[in-house]
Amino acid sequence: MSRESKCMRIILILVVLSVPRASIEINQDNASFLWGHEWDVFSNSVGSKFTEWFNKHGPVYRMKGALLHPDMLVVADPAAINRIMVTNSYNYVKAPFFSPVVERLLGRGIIWSEGSLHKRFRRLMEGTFSPSKIREMSPNVFEATSSLQTRLVQHLQDNHGQASIDVLSWASSATLDVIGRVGFGYDFRGGESEEAKDIKEGWAEQVIAGMSPTAFYGEVILRAFPILHSLPVKSMQAQGRMKVTMDKLARRLIASSERNPEKAQGKGVNFLATMVNASGEGKMTTQETIDNVSHLVTAGYETSAMTSSMILWELAKQPSCQQKLREELVKLGREPTYDDLISGAELPYLDAVVKEGYVNGSISSNSAANYGRVALADDVLPLETPIITPSGKEIRELRIRAGQSINLPHISINTLDSIWGDGQVFRPERWTDPRGLPLKAKGLSSWSNLMTFGAGPRMCLGYRLAFLELKAIIATLIRTFKFELTGEHVEKRYAVVLQPRVVGKEQEGPQLPLNVTFAA
């Protein structure tokens, strides 16, 4: 065992021994004295415990935190969510222990930032992801998905027309190509460039580590004892591999563009060139630009790959849905255009399938499976669904004290049976029902009434690009290939973001195997 591993183990033992050990279990919803309800959330399928407790206790409840952390408020009430995310969003910041971790792994970009700095970053970056800019980026999206199709065709031809593949790995090569081109005008060559391999391997290292129980213990200990962030332990101070790779690549591209500005401008629309060439008040520094590139890669690369692969998995479980989508794509009689994919008018079932993918257990381009927030100042949260106390009193608002921790588990919020009726079921037809969405589903001030991309000032900037990218990948693959289950059991786990893994092959890290053949 290394010196660092011994050091971290000693820290963990000392922290655990410092807590009184009387009455390890409390019979209140089986909350652990040490780990509260948080271990249940971590150790079960993503969102399942939040959903169970929403169904039992209603859209607002308290859960016990780990290591004597004060109770956390868990919220699915639309009125309260709109207050936290939209009308008073800058009063609700990310948990303090979270910022040093993000800074170490990604730098001080928009995900890390709060308050006036976030507003400044948002103002500078919004134009890069406007509808007109996304249209200009669309050739890069189509080029990446076409390359994915070509490589998979060749793979099948080399394997007599059928193969078992990890669709997560294949999809990530395409999404990395897209984010490379639109992020900084760089070709990752289908995930085969040296930088692409470093990014993918670095991400895999983080995810595998994040799925282990040690990650859970580490998170709650750092939250309870934030001074540990400053310990001279190499693993605590080291920058993320992805950040180091992105920093070197971005600096090289910036230097190249400064030497050859005319050549750089010919690379098309990309965030790095836009920020470097920007002028005026509040312009980003070189390091801020580089850090925000790292944030964009993380927010837009693996999350889109994971969501597209999870949709393919759902379609493999429901062959009739897969065939219905294929028939719609074939009937179009041509390659879908940007307008076809954005509007949904020509391909309504594709639109429904992708939106259902965002509803049913998938993740967003945001960076976590739930939005954890801490109130900076006292506030009052309105409630759409009143709370009835044991005495029969009706409560229509909650008074929040400064320092209150709040969880908004968007995967559970997106699938609540109290809203959808069958939210845990993958059913694209709910989006094409002429009766429209349930009225209760229209209470959120967010994209398609979902929490997928967040809401308000912190809503994901790249949601339009993510939606286009996802539709392009699904359309290209379903039109050409047929996907079937392998028989292996896949579970959804949380590690940085939602990740699929195969039961019995946990040590292999995130993967999603499917059998693939050519579509008839």
Side-chain angles (χ1 to χ4, degrees):
M1 182 183 296
S2 70
R3 182 180 299 177
E4 291 176 26
S5 298
K6 290 179 180 178
C7 180
M8 291 306 296
R9 177 166 289 187
I10 290 170
I11 291 170
L12 175 59
I13 292 172
L14 289 175
V15 169
V16 171
L17 291 179
S18 69
V19 179
R21 301 194 63 186
S23 185
I24 295 299
E25 295 293 328
I26 296 176
N27 292 325
Q28 183 179 350
D29 283 339
N30 298 316
S32 164
F33 182 77
L34 279 179
W35 311 121
H37 292 108
E38 293 188 77
W39 174 253
D40 278 347
V41 172
F42 175 84
S43 60
N44 284 278
S45 180
V46 173
S48 62
K49 297 305 292 186
F50 286 128
T51 299
E52 175 188 329
W53 296 331
F54 279 134
N55 289 337
K56 181 178 181 180
H57 302 293
V60 178
Y61 58 83
R62 289 184 180 274
M63 60 178 274
K64 292 192 174 298
L67 289 185
L68 305 183
H69 186 278
D71 287 359
M72 301 175 182
L73 195 63
V74 186
V75 176
D77 186 278
I81 290 172
N82 288 337
R83 175 68 179 174
I84 295 168
M85 300 290 287
V86 182
T87 61
N88 199 23
S89 64
Y90 287 111
N91 183 53
Y92 295 93
V93 299
K94 295 179 291 295
F97 82 91
F98 182 73
S99 295
V101 176
V102 174
E103 180 180 0
R104 188 171 67 250
L105 297 178
L106 302 174
R108 297 187 172 194
I110 192 166
I111 297 173
W112 172 87
S113 66
E114 297 287 356
S116 59
L117 181 60
H118 180 271
K119 292 177 183 179
R120 174 171 155 259
F121 282 163
R122 183 92 186 184
R123 175 175 55 80
L124 293 171
M125 296 170 69
E126 277 181 327
T128 309
F129 298 98
S130 66
S132 62
K133 293 297 184 183
I134 299 301
R135 180 182 289 274
E136 292 181 52
M137 293 176 182
S138 61
N140 288 320
V141 175
F142 295 140
E143 186 175 349
T145 53
S146 177
S147 173
L148 173 64
Q149 178 188 41
T150 299
R151 287 183 284 110
L152 189 50
V153 165
Q154 185 63 55
H155 184 70
L156 288 186
Q157 290 175 342
D158 293 342
N159 288 275
H160 311 290
Q162 58 182 0
S164 179
I165 66 170
D166 175 12
V167 293
L168 179 59
S169 177
W170 281 82
S172 67
S173 68
T175 57
L176 188 56
D177 273 353
V178 171
I179 204 65
R181 289 181 169 94
V182 305
F184 38 91
Y186 185 75
D187 184 5
F188 281 118
R189 302 200 310 273
E192 294 302 315
S193 72
E194 181 180 346
E195 292 85 0
K197 291 177 180 178
D198 279 345
I199 289 172
K200 293 176 75 171
E201 289 171 8
W203 179 262
E205 289 171 1
Q206 290 178 210
V207 167
I208 291 172
M211 283 198 249
S212 71
T214 303
F216 168 79
Y217 300 134
E219 179 177 322
V220 297
I221 289 171
L222 285 173
R223 184 181 64 198
F225 303 95
I227 193 174
L228 296 178
H229 276 294
S230 61
L231 287 180
V233 178
K234 183 178 179 181
S235 60
M236 295 289 290
Q237 300 301 322
Q239 291 182 325
R241 184 173 174 181
M242 285 179 63
K243 182 182 185 304
V244 172
T245 300
M246 292 305 309
D247 193 289
K248 290 180 180 178
L249 178 57
R251 288 186 184 280
R252 193 173 78 228
L253 293 172
I254 290 172
S256 176
S257 67
E258 289 174 347
R259 290 193 302 268
N260 303 287
E262 294 181 359
K263 182 179 179 181
Q265 291 176 0
K267 294 181 179 179
V269 177
N270 69 78
F271 172 79
L272 182 64
T274 301
M275 292 299 103
V276 169
N277 295 325
S279 61
E281 183 181 356
K283 177 185 175 181
M284 288 186 195
T285 65
T286 298
Q287 189 59 56
E288 286 175 339
T289 299
I290 292 171
D291 286 349
N292 275 303
V293 166
S294 293
H295 283 231
L296 289 173
V297 170
T298 301
Y301 143 59
E302 185 66 11
T303 49
S304 292
M306 187 282 304
T307 306
S308 58
S309 59
M310 292 295 289
I311 290 175
L312 292 172
W313 182 58
E314 293 287 356
L315 292 174
K317 290 196 294 183
Q318 297 193 44
S320 60
C321 289
Q322 183 177 165
Q323 184 58 29
K324 182 176 180 179
L325 176 57
R326 185 175 296 112
E327 289 173 357
E328 179 182 80
L329 292 164
V330 171
K331 185 179 178 181
L332 183 65
R334 53 179 169 77
E335 296 288 330
T337 65
Y338 169 83
D339 290 321
D340 292 331
L341 297 180
I342 289 297
S343 73
E346 295 293 330
L347 298 169
Y349 198 64
L350 173 65
D351 191 75
V353 164
V354 170
K355 286 180 178 176
E356 185 68 357
Y358 280 133
V359 169
N360 193 268
S362 293
I363 198 79
S364 68
S365 292
N366 287 280
S367 60
N370 64 76
Y371 299 106
R373 295 288 184 264
V374 176
L376 288 178
D378 293 355
D379 194 24
V380 177
L381 297 182
L383 298 176
E384 181 176 291
T385 302
I387 297 173
I388 307 300
T389 68
S391 64
K393 181 181 178 181
E394 186 177 271
I395 300 175
R396 291 189 169 273
E397 61 182 27
L398 286 177
R399 296 190 178 277
I400 302 298
R401 297 297 186 188
Q404 174 67 56
S405 294
I406 300 175
N407 269 351
L408 306 174
H410 77 264
I411 292 176
S412 297
I413 295 169
N414 280 352
T415 59
L416 286 177
D417 285 346
S418 60
I419 293 177
W420 303 100
D422 58 351
Q424 300 294 314
V425 177
F426 185 84
R427 187 171 61 84
E429 284 72 18
R430 79 174 81 244
W431 296 91
T432 58
D433 190 328
R435 293 171 296 180
L437 297 179
L439 288 177
K440 288 184 179 180
K442 299 179 180 180
L444 290 175
S445 301
S446 57
W447 178 84
S448 292
N449 309 113
L450 300 174
M451 284 287 287
T452 305
F453 294 111
R458 298 201 73 104
M459 181 175 175
C460 174
L461 277 170
Y463 75 95
R464 296 185 185 91
L465 175 63
F467 195 47
L468 171 66
E469 180 182 24
L470 196 55
K471 280 190 170 184
I473 290 173
I474 297 300
T476 298
L477 294 181
I478 292 298
R479 188 175 61 248
T480 310
F481 308 103
K482 180 179 180 181
F483 295 89
E484 297 177 313
L485 299 176
T486 63
E488 296 175 282
H489 178 54
V490 175
E491 64 175 0
K492 302 172 186 177
R493 302 292 295 178
Y494 173 73
V496 186
V497 294
L498 176 67
Q499 297 289 339
R501 72 179 184 184
V502 175
V503 175
K505 297 181 179 180
E506 291 85 357
Q507 72 283 358
E508 297 179 15
Q511 58 178 308
L512 212 169
L514 288 177
N515 292 326
V516 58
T517 57
F518 288 111

